[in-house]
Amino acid sequence: MIAASAIDYRELARRRLPHFLFEYIDGGSYAQVTLERNVADLKNVALRQRVLRDVSEIDLSTRLFDQDLALPVALAPVGLAGMNARRGECQAVRAANNAGIPFTLSTVSACDIEEVSAASSAPFWFQLYMIRDRGFMRELMARAASAGCTALVFTVDMPVPGSRYRDYHSGLAGAPGIVGALRRTWQGALRPHWAWDVGIKGRPHSLGNVATVLGDKSGIEDFFAWMRKNFDPSVTWDDLDFIRSEWKGTMIIKGVLDPEDAIRAAELGADGVVVSNHGGRQLDGVLSSAQALPKIAEVAGDRLTVLADGGIQSGLDVVRMLALGAKGVLLGRAWAYALGARGEAGISHLLQLIEAEMKVAMSLTGVTSIDQITRVILAERNCG
């Protein structure tokens, strides 16, 4: 099977990854209402088809946070991505570099900041959670700055982990000790390409950025136990002062769904926000990103650069998000599937597909540059 769209990579990843890893990427929380809503609501955004306009030259370039980009797209932070392909985050950052877009490294990546920096030919972004140990957070931010990261993506919608039942059913989080290890080993053995490429040749299997605090306890169960113990549910807006004082570069707040929170982020010195519900992986039943985005973009005005993620499966979806008010989008599951299916080549191909799909969508809506993609290209639906 050759992937002809981003959706095809999901099926390819399902065939190539061990069950517990595919479920980790693919799953949401509780009944997955928000996960499904993210996709459905975005698909339901209708565009105005315009004709007889000169669309012979389409320009997809844009500028975000003083950085020139070939596309209004960044690769979102994806935890454990380095387990989907050999040294996966390094493959992903190379694909992003080649495409002229930013890559965002997760705090809980397999490859640490320094390894990704060595593999990268351009600055990348770093994602951070609020962790109880402020000294460890300070160390991570210093490492990211030393590695040349230009933006800190501070995730605020995970004071506690969501209830992701598919992770329990798959054996990722619900089968501790030797039973869980045996289940995951068996699932890995059923995927011989993965077992050789990642399981054997992709070592060390550790969460590089948090390896110093995990110590010898570096298994998946140890990570989830550390996360439950060390993510800080007492965090408030006042804690942004700590982040802002330690981080001198661009600060982007990820996980905003309410306009009042966007206003607060602007007041406290954030440069941007990501309208996001964590891909439907946290509080189930909340608004989709597509639903929440327009009001947040309206209140943000010129004070914040508004990005969005959630449910984006094509270049057409990127155009829809921009029309709803985003200045750029973050791809999450889409690139994780592509990485699991074909590694760096898969991500590069995915981005080529998105670029081609964006050009078609822009041509058929009669716009030729990213700044022309506004609410003007949204269709008005008749009611009644």
Side-chain angles (χ1 to χ4, degrees):
M1 176 179 178
I2 299 174
S5 71
I7 299 172
D8 293 333
Y9 275 117
R10 178 181 180 273
E11 176 60 21
L12 288 172
R14 186 187 66 80
R15 296 178 185 181
R16 299 197 68 168
L17 292 175
H19 180 63
F20 70 91
L21 283 178
F22 177 79
E23 291 290 281
Y24 178 73
I25 299 170
D26 199 59
S29 64
Y30 297 93
Q32 303 188 135
V33 171
T34 296
L35 184 153
E36 295 168 3
R37 188 177 288 166
N38 275 345
V39 175
D41 287 349
L42 192 52
K43 293 289 182 287
N44 200 41
V45 174
L47 302 175
R48 295 173 66 192
Q49 179 171 298
R50 304 304 303 275
V51 298
L52 298 178
R53 296 193 170 199
D54 184 356
V55 290
S56 56
E57 298 291 335
I58 302 291
D59 183 7
L60 301 185
S61 66
T62 192
R63 188 170 178 82
L64 292 177
F65 308 113
D66 295 323
Q67 185 175 353
D68 291 323
L69 309 181
L71 300 170
V73 170
L75 299 189
V78 174
L80 306 182
M83 294 300 292
N84 299 331
R86 190 196 322 170
R87 316 313 293 168
E89 291 92 3
C90 291
Q91 295 196 50
V93 77
R94 288 193 295 265
N97 291 165
N98 292 335
I101 66 170
F103 168 76
T104 314
L105 181 67
S106 170
T107 291
V108 291
S109 57
C111 303
D112 64 24
I113 298 168
E114 291 77 15
E115 183 178 355
V116 173
S117 179
S120 180
S121 58
F124 58 98
W125 299 353
F126 181 68
Q127 177 270 335
L128 184 67
Y129 294 107
M130 183 57 78
I131 300 167
R132 293 180 188 275
D133 185 345
R134 300 297 196 265
F136 179 56
M137 290 183 67
R138 186 178 292 111
E139 175 190 332
L140 282 177
M141 286 187 277
R143 288 170 61 189
S146 296
C149 295
T150 55
L152 184 75
V153 179
F154 183 48
T155 297
V156 295
D157 60 356
M158 199 171 170
V160 295
S163 296
R164 304 171 191 171
Y165 297 132
R166 286 172 66 177
D167 288 344
Y168 285 88
H169 296 156
S170 72
L172 179 67
I178 189 64
V179 174
L182 287 173
R183 282 187 66 183
R184 292 188 294 273
T185 299
W186 174 246
Q187 291 174 26
L190 294 176
R191 298 290 187 267
H193 178 272
W194 180 91
W196 173 249
D197 186 57
V198 181
I200 296 176
K201 297 175 68 176
R203 296 175 179 172
H205 297 153
S206 63
L207 297 171
N209 296 319
V210 298
T212 57
V213 291
L214 287 177
D216 293 335
K217 297 182 177 180
S218 58
I220 286 179
E221 306 95 342
D222 302 309
F223 158 63
F224 283 110
W226 176 85
M227 184 172 65
R228 288 189 292 269
K229 182 179 179 181
N230 288 279
F231 279 26
D232 191 351
S234 71
V235 62
T236 69
W237 287 106
D238 293 338
D239 291 288
L240 277 191
D241 288 338
F242 166 70
I243 302 295
R244 184 77 278 182
S245 66
E246 295 293 332
W247 182 261
K248 306 308 179 186
T250 296
M251 183 172 71
I252 305 167
I253 307 301
K254 182 177 184 293
V256 174
L257 281 182
D258 192 284
E260 291 184 13
D261 288 337
I263 293 170
R264 190 76 171 123
E267 291 172 346
L268 292 175
D271 300 292
V273 295
V274 182
V275 178
S276 173
N277 50 46
H278 217 99
R281 295 163 69 81
Q282 283 296 100
L283 179 59
D284 199 22
V286 297
L287 291 177
S288 68
S289 297
Q291 286 179 312
L293 174 56
K295 288 184 178 179
I296 292 175
E298 182 180 352
V299 302
D302 295 330
R303 294 184 294 174
L304 288 169
T305 297
V306 177
L307 310 177
D309 69 12
I312 300 167
Q313 297 181 326
S314 66
L316 176 58
D317 289 341
V318 174
V319 171
R320 286 174 167 135
M321 282 293 200
L322 299 182
L324 291 172
K327 297 299 182 183
V329 305
L330 274 66
L331 300 178
R333 286 187 177 89
W335 79 259
Y337 293 139
L339 176 69
R342 291 182 56 211
E344 180 181 342
I347 299 175
S348 294
H349 181 233
L350 168 73
L351 295 173
Q352 291 167 8
L353 290 172
I354 286 175
E355 178 182 2
E357 291 162 347
M358 284 188 68
K359 287 181 176 178
V360 171
M362 289 171 67
S363 297
L364 297 179
T365 53
V367 297
T368 59
S369 63
I370 296 302
D371 62 333
Q372 293 176 6
I373 304 175
T374 66
R375 293 190 65 84
V376 170
I377 73 166
L378 294 176
E380 295 184 8
R381 294 179 178 273
N382 295 325
C383 298

